[in-house]
Amino acid sequence: MKTIQSVDEMQALVNGVRANGKRIALVPTMGCLHEGHCSLIRMAKAKAEFLVVSLFVNPTQFAPNEDFDCYPRQLQDDLLQCESLGVDAVFNPSVEELYPRGYSTYVTEEVVSAGLCGVSRPAHFRGVTTVCLKLFNIVQPQLAIFGQKDAQQAAVLKKMVRDLNLQLEMEIAPTLRDADGLAMSSRNKHLSASQRGDALAINRALGIGKTMVEQGVRNVDRVVAEITHHLAQHRRVRVIYVQIVDRDTMEPAREIVPGRHLVAIAAWVDEVRLIDNILL
Ligand code: AMP
């Protein structure tokens, strides 16, 4: 497995791979790999002949008051994990390599990114689209895999790929959960045992919403109220949003259509910001 920090070196490598007619897949991550990431990597491995995983904590998607500095990092463990999964190349550039002094170009998707996390994290998706477009240009993959866990991110990136005519197939992998139901996330490392207990309310609340819809409820406000009520029972949980939206456009639903909508939750569990969602 090659471990590459330089853009030039990464581009030279993939130019050779493409010249040999091999299909390249990219799994972009911020590192601190967990089983959720591994499931994306395994899926990519099965669908391509050359697999690149990027490990890069992208500063442009964090606001100045957010957790960029204390975002968990564990490069050596991540490299071992990638090696064991048969990754061909890890791309882990420095911040200066991707954003050299004087860097001034950003990509903005303006509709899918506007609601949900776009409200509470106004510059977040601009950072995500910018770094992903850069990674797509550097690695030139035919396939990129993202997780449903970050439903809005996946929808925004799909829209960018379509709008900018990128020759890239995007696949979205299902959310992996721990045995207790908590969606796997690098940020879970910051939860104490009791905070984790409260964080479980998020998945349970999603389950309550899903059950209501399975029982025939189509009224958005009723489902949102029930979910919000469940979350409010937990002292450490502060809701940022509970919304039912179209799974592709992230537009708020008027009436629930199973197969089309999802419930998305963002909440603080004390100082840890968690997101999760469930397809209805
Ligand atoms: P991150 O390192 O958090 O930026 O995540 C990298 C990729 O892994 C993104 O496409 C995420 O949506 C995906 N991902 C994160 N957590 C999970 C999970 N629990 N299950 C599946 N995919 C995930």
Side-chain angles (χ1 to χ4, degrees), residues 21-232:
K22 287 193 177 167
R23 181 174 156 86
I24 301 173
L26 171 67
V27 179
T29 80
M30 297 207 295
C32 198
L33 301 181
H34 50 67
E35 230 358 82
H37 297 115
C38 295
S39 70
L40 271 56
I41 295 172
R42 286 192 196 96
M43 185 186 273
K45 180 79 187 165
K47 290 174 184 245
E49 293 144 309
F50 193 87
L51 173 54
V52 181
V53 172
S54 60
L55 306 173
F56 180 66
V57 185
N58 174 37
T60 63
Q61 69 190 68
F62 291 81
N65 60 334
E66 291 181 347
D67 59 346
F68 175 73
D69 288 332
C70 60
Y71 193 86
R73 291 163 171 88
Q74 47 166 49
L75 182 61
Q76 289 316 317
D77 288 353
D78 289 349
L79 293 176
L80 288 173
Q81 183 73 271
C82 286
E83 179 111 54
S84 75
L85 291 166
V87 172
D88 296 292
V90 165
F91 183 48
N92 67 317
S94 64
V95 170
E96 296 69 32
E97 182 70 6
L98 283 202
Y99 300 109
R101 187 184 255 281
Y103 185 89
S104 60
T105 303
Y106 295 87
V107 189
T108 316
E109 190 289 324
E110 299 190 348
V111 173
V112 185
S113 63
L116 302 174
C117 288
V119 175
S120 44
R121 305 184 74 189
H124 173 66
F125 289 114
R126 170 182 179 252
V128 170
T129 44
T130 299
V131 79
C132 286
L133 184 57
K134 283 171 71 70
L135 291 170
F136 295 161
N137 282 330
I138 295 165
V139 176
Q140 307 231 352
Q142 282 95 341
L143 171 68
I145 302 197
F146 293 87
Q148 180 62 30
K149 155 82 168 44
D150 299 276
Q152 189 178 17
Q153 166 173 283
V156 168
L157 290 169
K158 273 188 170 175
K159 189 65 170 38
M160 177 186 81
V161 164
R162 218 172 35 251
D163 284 350
L164 298 183
N165 311 106
L166 303 184
Q167 295 198 51
L168 172 72
E169 194 186 314
M170 296 240 327
E171 285 222 22
I172 310 304
T175 302
L176 248 75
R177 299 177 181 282
D178 281 320
D180 58 9
L182 187 67
M184 291 179 186
S185 163
S186 307
R187 288 192 172 95
N188 293 352
K189 279 209 157 53
H190 293 313
L191 295 171
S192 68
S194 56
Q195 288 169 334
R196 194 184 163 95
D198 273 11
L200 291 175
I202 297 172
N203 178 47
R204 275 201 305 270
L206 290 172
I208 290 169
K210 173 90 178 167
T211 304
M212 287 177 78
V213 173
E214 281 169 355
Q215 290 170 347
V217 180
R218 297 290 177 263
N219 184 289
V220 170
D221 292 343
R222 258 186 77 193
V223 176
V224 168
E226 201 58 42
I227 289 177
T228 309
H229 174 74
H230 181 76
L231 293 170

